[in-house]
Amino acid sequence: MVSILVADDSPTIRRRATATLGDEGFDVQCAEDGEGAWALLSGPEAIRPGVILCDILMPKLDGYDLCQRIKGDDSLKDTPVMLLRGTFEPWDEDRAREAGADGFITKPFEPENLVSTVKEILALGGAGSGESLAEPVAPAPKAEPVEDVGNSTHALPQAPAPEPAAPASDDPFGSSDEAPAPAPASDDPFGASDDDPFGTAEQPAAAPASDDPFGSSDDGPLSSAAPAPAAAAPA
């Protein structure tokens, strides 16, 4: 079983690293400061971890000095040392180089990133996917898409073509070729028929007016009015 030494004065970091790496089958040993870590490495029962993770800011012996001691020992100099640095902690890259650090890991770290870094370091026998001490290369700016003028499959997407407009009608008044539906039956109370919506159909002729001022018919009886009395004779 591969052993990992974690030297950090933060109990949280030690617990997290122990749980994360322990779940992957590593034997994790911890020290709360640089002197404690050096005692594990140089004492009568000295351990030989596959990777050493040490915080740069620790009491008694910081990570830079611990790394320098490790790299100056003939029995430990080939052991990969990764410095642990906090996101907002001061970082002295020149000092890390002088100490011979193989790289650094930024805290807080994601468990999967810590595991993949340790495994790659072990596979390579040195610094792996942990951040190296070299100046990071700035990513290339993202190229803006350009319009394709050839047969490239990376052409810019074209806007959808507008739907064709309906053909204009030749009838300026918008009437269709189809004949209009017949008008519904008339509700005219004066008896206009369906075929004559305006009631203009020929009507029966009215009876001629009578010449009789009294409205009597030619065939009717004489008027029953009493004759006027005769005028009285003069005296």
Side-chain angles (χ1 to χ4, degrees):
M1 180 182 295
V2 178
S3 175
I4 306 294
L5 174 61
V6 178
D8 199 301
D9 59 334
S10 169
T12 301
I13 293 297
R14 294 198 302 270
R15 286 195 301 267
R16 190 173 186 185
T18 300
T20 300
L21 296 173
D23 289 343
E24 295 295 322
F26 294 105
D27 175 27
V28 183
Q29 300 191 48
C30 297
E32 61 184 21
D33 56 46
E35 288 288 358
W38 180 249
L40 291 175
L41 295 169
S42 60
E45 297 181 359
I47 63 172
R48 289 295 178 262
V51 178
I52 300 173
L53 308 177
C54 59
D55 185 22
I56 59 172
L57 299 180
M58 292 185 293
K60 300 181 180 179
L61 188 67
D62 64 23
Y64 301 109
D65 290 338
L66 176 59
C67 179
Q68 191 165 14
R69 284 192 186 185
I70 293 171
K71 294 298 183 179
D73 188 287
D74 290 339
S75 62
L76 295 170
K77 64 181 180 181
D78 294 329
T79 304
V81 177
M82 301 295 291
L83 299 178
L84 301 178
R85 53 166 294 194
T87 304
F88 302 106
E89 291 178 350
W91 166 246
D92 191 337
E93 184 173 324
D94 291 337
R95 193 176 172 193
R97 289 181 184 277
E98 292 174 1
D102 294 281
F104 67 90
I105 299 173
T106 302
K107 300 182 296 182
F109 43 76
E110 293 297 329
E112 57 272 18
N113 292 341
L114 178 62
V115 170
S116 62
T117 297
V118 169
K119 286 183 176 180
E120 188 169 351
I121 291 173
L122 290 170
L124 298 176
S129 60
E131 298 175 75
S132 68
L133 299 178
E135 193 70 19
V137 179
K142 185 177 180 180
E144 294 294 332
V146 295
E147 185 175 2
D148 183 45
V149 296
N151 296 322
S152 172
T153 58
H154 301 286
L156 292 175
Q158 300 296 322
E163 296 183 1
S169 172
D170 295 333
D171 185 353
F173 300 102
S175 59
S176 66
D177 295 336
E178 298 180 1
S186 173
D187 294 330
D188 185 1
F190 300 102
S193 68
D194 293 343
D195 297 332
D196 185 16
F198 302 102
T200 57
E202 184 177 355
Q203 303 295 328
S210 172
D211 293 333
D212 185 357
F214 300 102
S216 60
S217 159
D218 291 341
D219 298 329
L222 293 175
S223 170
S224 59

